[in-house]
Amino acid sequence: MYTFICYPKCTTCQKAQKWLDAHGVAYTVRHIKEQNPAADELRAWQQASGLPLKRFFNTSGQLYRGMGLSAKLPDMPEDEQFALLASDGMMVKRPLLVADDGTVLVGFKEAEWARALGAEA
């Protein structure tokens, strides 16, 4: 089973959800603003994904840019980065697709999702 973590007004999230539906992928929806991921969840997802922590930041978001995080993150301790991500769902790159088997997909790239889920792109 999958948990689809998204912001419903985000067009990329909408596109990803349509793709999941079209490919018959069963999932539950989690609204990222209403159920903000906790630091422990984010840490577990980052470790499972094997991706650098920076990939979990919504670098195109107003909050990220407004705080000048592109300059601050390289020197920020990892614990602070997780706490920052956990402080506001809009800080987190979306959508996230988290599987019970530990698979974690960050952002929507159709080919990547198709490969990970064994579906046709």
Side-chain angles (χ1 to χ4, degrees):
M1 183 60 147
Y2 296 93
T3 302
F4 180 64
I5 304 161
C6 65
Y7 181 63
K9 293 179 183 177
C10 168
T11 56
T12 303
C13 292
Q14 293 168 4
K15 184 178 176 182
Q17 191 165 15
K18 284 180 186 172
W19 187 91
L20 290 170
D21 292 342
H23 289 85
V25 177
Y27 60 90
T28 57
V29 175
R30 178 171 164 183
H31 189 302
I32 201 160
K33 276 292 279 179
E34 294 173 0
Q35 290 182 283
N36 193 44
D40 289 345
E41 286 179 303
L42 290 159
R43 186 180 300 277
W45 297 340
Q46 188 261 331
Q47 289 172 351
S49 73
L51 296 171
L53 183 53
K54 185 178 186 329
R55 283 281 309 274
F56 281 77
F57 281 88
N58 179 11
T59 57
S60 59
Q62 292 176 348
L63 195 54
Y64 181 91
R65 288 181 287 170
M67 294 176 71
L69 290 176
S70 62
K72 295 177 184 175
L73 281 183
D75 298 323
M76 188 181 289
E78 196 173 84
D79 286 343
E80 277 185 48
Q81 291 183 50
F82 281 114
L84 187 58
L85 282 168
S87 71
D88 190 321
M90 300 307 277
M91 188 72 72
V92 181
K93 177 82 171 170
R94 53 192 187 272
L96 286 163
L97 189 66
V98 180
D100 291 344
D101 70 3
T103 301
V104 178
L105 300 173
V106 181
F108 179 62
K109 292 185 177 139
E110 190 172 326
E112 183 181 312
W113 284 38
R115 195 170 39 256
L117 302 177
E120 292 289 319

